[in-house]
Amino acid sequence: GVDVSLTNANGWNALHFAAFYNKRSVAILNLLVQHNTCTLETINKMTHQGYTVLDDAYGSFLNDEIKDYSDRNKKHEIRQ
C-alpha cells in the first residue's frame, strides 16, 4: 500500500513533493491530504531544512490560492 507520511533522507514526504513540484494545481495535494495515512503530523511535518508542506506550496506556487490559504490559516498552523 501507499503511506504518504513516509519521508526521504531530507525529511520530505509525498505532500512536500506535491506542494513543491506541482505548480499548476492543488488537486494532487488535496488527494494526498484525503488519504487514510495522512495525519496532522504528516501535514505539519518539517523537512530537515525546516519547511512545512504549506511553506513548500507557498514558495513554489506563489499563486493567489495558496497565498490566501496561508494568510487565513497562519494562526492555526501546528508546528512541532
Side-chain angles (χ1 to χ4, degrees):
V2 174
D3 186 345
V4 300
S5 68
L6 294 177
T7 59
N8 70 5
N10 294 315
W12 285 49
N13 61 35
L15 297 174
H16 288 104
F17 282 100
F20 188 81
Y21 288 108
N22 188 2
K23 299 182 185 334
R24 296 181 185 203
S25 170
V26 294
I28 297 295
L29 196 52
N30 284 331
L31 183 67
L32 292 171
V33 166
Q34 294 173 27
H35 193 271
N36 64 355
T37 61
C38 187
T39 64
L40 279 177
E41 182 178 348
T42 304
I43 294 169
N44 292 300
K45 172 81 173 147
M46 286 188 171
T47 65
H48 297 323
Q49 294 81 21
Y51 297 109
T52 66
V53 171
L54 187 57
D55 294 328
D56 289 334
Y58 187 80
S60 176
F61 295 124
L62 292 178
N63 69 26
D64 292 336
E65 186 175 354
I66 296 299
K67 285 194 248 183
D68 290 346
Y69 179 85
S70 178
D71 292 343
R72 285 192 313 270
N73 292 290
K74 275 233 186 270
K75 62 182 175 245
H76 300 294
E77 286 184 29
I78 300 170
R79 297 214 177 200
Q80 299 174 4

